[in-house]
Amino acid sequence: MDWYPLINSVRIAAISCVIVFFTGIFAAYYAARLPRVLKGFLDVLLTLPLVLPPTVCGYFLLMLFGLRRPFGMFLAQYGIKFVMTWYGGILAAVLTAFPLMYRTARGAFESFDETLAYAGQTLGLSDTFIFWRIRMPACRQGILAGAVLAFARALGEYGATSMLIGYTPGKTATISTTVYQLWRTNNDALAFKWVMVNVAISALVLTTVNMLEKQDRKAAAK
Amino acid sequence: MSLTVDIKKRLGNFCLDVSFNINSGVSGLLGASGSGKSVTLMCIAGILKPDSGKIILNGRALYDSERNIDLTPQRRRVGYLFQNYALFPDMTARQNILCGLHKEKDKSKKERSLSEIIEIMQLRGIENNRPKQLSGGQQQRVALARILVGDPELLILDEPFSALDSHLRSQLQVEIQKLLKRFGKNTLLVTHSRDEAYQLCSEIALLDAGKIVIRKETKQLFADPESRQAAYLTGCKNVIDAKKAGEYEVDVPDWGLRFTASRPVCDDLCAIGVRAHYFNPKAIQNRFSVRLTDEIEGQFEYIVQFRYKDQIDDSQDIWWLMPKEKRMEQFRGELGVSPANIMLLYG
């Protein structure tokens, strides 16, 4: 069995999870500080990929990064091609997983007691310190949940990925595109193996999260 | 020390327009909820930005719209004790206090200040607990310690006792009073409780609907609140329309009576106030027949409502609080008020 799809899927999911983690948190943090109208507009825009069919997201990505499009051509001059490359998968995964991180982080930030930040400011603590040492720990449950959801979504991404990077064995194949390809070519037995691999990874991720949460509760109770 | 505040701030329909200065000691800002106390404090601390005006602390402009000065909260050196204490939940008491010492780079000095304040605030033994594991009183001491180690120029206490059980409240008031004396910090105490204000503050500014009604030395304020609003805010239950009738006399049409005051009455008098405690069955002056309409027995006093004999029908019953030891034996159907206890109200 060729393990390339597993490696590719995990690296795409891991890298996009890191990207989405930071961009989602900062978008959530700054969006909350915008004037109401702008905030509403931005909110719709940033959440859109969650409700759009992934193929539509893929379509937009191709419109932007397609090799005959101006921006895609511009990037290609520097040897950066998101079409039919494994790292194009990161783009697809980031776009579809971002709203999950953004929404959950925003929810967590909204329930944060703002007086804690004010208290920090009057004590002379820097805003960076307040963000990383007071706000983030207080919101860690929601943010952790968001990161896990984003990782899971990135791992399972199919629609946008298949449109942007297609399926090339040993190059752009991910678990989900491989499952489809194997099933299409009547290789049910192998498809089933990959399905089990996917189930195993998802179960592992969820168990890890549950354990982290349990530890967290224990630490808080101490 | 001196703090001068003269700011305007509009928040939706609410308009804050306050101007006051306080000098040394503990000053109070007394007002009902929604009167703009918290907004004023947040403007002083730099959490909210006023629309215009200035805030000067010890000659240093914290905010001045004309000179375009608006210091960040970090640079104002204003210690702010929040109503819920705002302890950082993921840090121990010790780590919380260290947050107030973050500017001190010298490690040994830092340790010394830390253990000093832990001693003073009686936090020894609980310094490694998280806020959740501390009682309300302990949380308050940690929050105060965290502020005081940073040596702020002004200390703001926002309703410091409202989050506590009533039996703890008086005990902590005494503790805080001692601490304030010990540290000699100039303090602005904000409260909606007249008792707290009376007990802790040397001077009080009354705030109502975003405006300062009056600012006075505490005892003088309670003895002579000058206006209806101030009379209500200092807890006077009986305020009634009145007119000047003579040099020391006032007519109260609703009660059908004429009262004598101890001070000369000015022409623009519009009302008088009589505190519920000041009616006295033994007083000789301002003594009239009354009819009791209601009586509730409290723990230490009777809460009585009564009407004067010729009181007009649509006017309200009058409140009388009678300490229990003075029980009814002394009451013979008449109540008097000493002229010194007739508060003359203008406006």
Side-chain angles (χ1 to χ4, degrees):
Chain A
M1 190 164 155
D2 172 24
W3 289 103
Y4 183 81
L6 173 67
I7 297 161
N8 198 28
S9 269
V10 170
R11 76 174 165 193
I12 287 176
I15 295 171
S16 10
C17 186
V18 171
I19 295 173
V20 160
F21 180 80
F22 288 102
T23 51
I25 282 172
F26 285 106
Y29 179 70
Y30 286 107
R33 273 153 188 71
L34 290 174
R36 199 175 292 168
V37 179
L38 199 61
K39 185 172 141 182
F41 173 74
L42 202 69
D43 209 51
V44 168
L45 195 73
L46 293 179
T47 316
L48 214 50
L50 187 66
V51 284
L52 285 176
T55 44
V56 173
C57 296
Y59 175 83
F60 279 127
L61 285 176
L62 280 174
M63 290 277 284
L64 195 61
F65 295 101
L67 293 179
R68 290 198 201 102
R69 302 280 165 190
F71 190 60
M73 268 157 52
F74 171 76
L75 287 178
Q77 286 178 352
Y78 302 96
I80 303 168
K81 284 183 202 153
F82 286 111
V83 180
M84 301 302 280
T85 57
W86 76 266
Y87 54 85
I90 296 172
L91 211 58
V94 163
L95 184 69
T96 49
F98 175 84
L100 287 166
M101 187 68 214
Y102 166 73
R103 297 294 290 204
T104 37
R106 209 191 60 175
F109 284 151
E110 272 167 6
S111 60
F112 176 75
D113 176 9
E114 215 50 48
T115 53
L116 294 180
Y118 298 151
Q121 287 182 328
T122 56
L123 287 169
L125 300 172
S126 72
D127 289 337
T128 322
F129 182 95
I130 292 170
F131 185 85
W132 289 109
R133 299 295 306 281
I134 298 168
R135 193 181 296 266
M136 287 292 277
C139 299
R140 65 179 170 267
Q141 296 265 348
I143 285 167
L144 189 66
V148 171
L149 283 176
F151 182 81
R153 178 74 183 79
L155 198 66
E157 198 345 85
Y158 175 79
T161 307
S162 65
M163 281 183 73
L164 190 67
I165 67 174
Y167 171 78
T168 318
K171 244 185 100 193
T172 66
T174 64
I175 298 176
S176 42
T177 50
T178 303
V179 168
Y180 177 70
Q181 192 63 26
L182 290 173
W183 177 81
R184 209 172 60 95
T185 52
N186 286 323
N187 197 343
D188 271 8
L190 199 53
F192 182 73
K193 272 186 194 160
W194 277 112
V195 167
M196 290 327 285
V197 169
N198 208 333
V199 170
I201 297 172
S202 306
L204 187 73
V205 170
L206 289 175
T207 315
T208 316
V209 172
N210 283 345
M211 269 163 50
L212 281 176
E213 275 184 357
K214 225 180 256 168
Q215 250 177 19
D216 194 59
R217 263 200 296 274
K218 258 190 218 157
K222 252 178 205 168
Chain B
M1 107 108 191
S2 70
L3 172 71
T4 306
V5 177
D6 179 6
I7 49 171
K8 287 190 176 61
K9 167 97 187 157
R10 181 174 276 284
L11 280 171
N13 283 330
F14 181 75
C15 191
L16 182 79
D17 182 357
V18 292
S19 165
F20 61 92
N21 53 68
I22 58 175
N23 301 310
S24 50
V26 182
S27 304
L29 201 56
L30 178 65
S33 33
S35 59
K37 294 174 305 212
S38 293
V39 178
T40 309
L41 292 189
M42 287 171 134
C43 286
I44 297 173
I47 298 163
L48 275 180
K49 190 179 173 183
D51 297 334
S52 66
K54 56 177 118 182
I55 300 167
I56 315 279
L57 176 61
N58 294 337
R60 191 165 58 99
L62 304 183
Y63 174 79
D64 189 337
S65 56
E66 274 169 28
R67 287 191 284 159
N68 246 332
I69 296 173
D70 182 21
L71 295 189
T72 60
Q74 281 92 338
R75 293 174 59 205
R76 294 198 177 198
R77 295 176 51 88
V78 171
Y80 196 135
L81 183 70
F82 286 87
Q83 213 167 339
N84 62 359
Y85 312 132
L87 292 177
F88 306 138
D90 298 295
M91 299 185 190
T92 62
R94 189 189 139 86
Q95 288 169 323
N96 263 286
I97 298 170
L98 280 172
C99 282
L101 273 169
H102 67 104
K103 276 189 202 121
E104 182 59 69
K105 294 285 172 263
D106 184 339
K107 268 221 169 118
S108 62
K109 266 192 198 163
K110 203 172 193 161
E111 279 302 319
R112 208 173 326 128
S113 311
L114 179 69
S115 72
E116 224 176 76
I117 199 85
I118 284 177
E119 212 56 61
I120 295 170
M121 294 298 196
Q122 300 163 30
L123 296 170
R124 191 64 72 204
I126 55 165
E127 66 261 46
N128 290 321
N129 289 11
R130 303 252 171 151
K132 255 196 227 156
Q133 304 158 291
L134 301 175
S135 71
Q138 289 169 335
Q139 287 184 22
Q140 190 181 53
R141 292 208 298 273
V142 173
L144 261 178
R146 185 174 75 172
I147 293 166
L148 289 171
V149 285
D151 192 28
E153 281 181 38
L154 173 72
L155 183 61
I156 287 178
L157 308 177
D158 186 1
E159 306 264 6
F161 308 107
S162 63
L164 298 168
D165 293 339
S166 58
H167 67 275
L168 272 175
R169 221 170 274 172
S170 40
Q171 190 189 332
L172 278 166
Q173 274 181 28
V174 175
E175 265 180 47
I176 285 238
Q177 201 160 26
K178 277 189 202 151
L179 281 170
L180 292 180
K181 269 203 192 117
R182 172 170 190 152
F183 283 89
K185 284 267 171 266
N186 298 297
T187 306
L188 183 58
L189 173 84
V190 165
T191 177
H192 64 267
S193 156
R194 305 181 280 274
D195 296 332
E196 268 171 45
Y198 191 88
Q199 286 155 19
L200 291 170
C201 306
S202 54
E203 56 179 356
I204 293 175
L206 284 182
L207 195 61
D208 186 51
K211 293 205 168 43
I212 298 284
V213 179
I214 188 175
R215 193 184 67 83
K216 253 188 168 180
E217 197 266 324
T218 303
K219 290 214 170 98
Q220 282 173 18
L221 173 70
F222 277 79
D224 180 17
E226 295 179 31
S227 70
R228 279 168 200 263
Q229 270 170 317
Y232 283 127
L233 286 170
T234 54
C236 179
K237 288 203 165 58
N238 307 305
V239 174
I240 187 89
D241 288 345
K243 280 199 300 268
K244 177 175 172 159
E247 202 187 345
Y248 288 93
E249 276 141 1
V250 292
D251 270 341
V252 180
D254 282 7
W255 293 350
L257 295 172
R258 176 169 293 186
F259 286 84
T260 309
S262 60
R263 284 181 304 161
V265 181
C266 298
D267 289 338
D268 54 346
L269 179 95
C270 68
I272 60 164
V274 185
R275 292 191 191 279
H277 279 107
Y278 288 160
F279 291 103
N280 187 344
K282 288 210 293 196
I284 300 150
Q285 284 170 295
N286 295 323
R287 186 182 179 89
F288 306 105
S289 305
V290 302
R291 175 169 55 85
L292 303 191
T293 55
D294 210 348
E295 183 186 322
I296 301 169
E297 186 180 343
Q299 195 183 353
F300 300 111
E301 57 197 4
Y302 286 93
I303 303 151
V304 182
Q305 289 192 292
F306 70 88
R307 301 180 77 81
Y308 282 114
K309 206 170 98 238
D310 298 323
Q311 186 168 345
I312 64 170
D313 286 341
D314 62 348
S315 66
Q316 282 181 345
D317 288 4
I318 303 160
W319 292 88
W320 173 30
L321 291 175
M322 177 181 56
K324 275 195 174 167
E325 63 268 28
K326 282 194 187 165
R327 185 53 199 141
M328 290 299 180
E329 291 84 64
Q330 298 170 356
F331 178 65
R332 298 274 182 274
E334 287 186 343
L335 283 175
V337 187
S338 150
N341 288 333
I342 301 287
M343 303 189 297
L344 303 173
L345 306 175
Y346 303 88

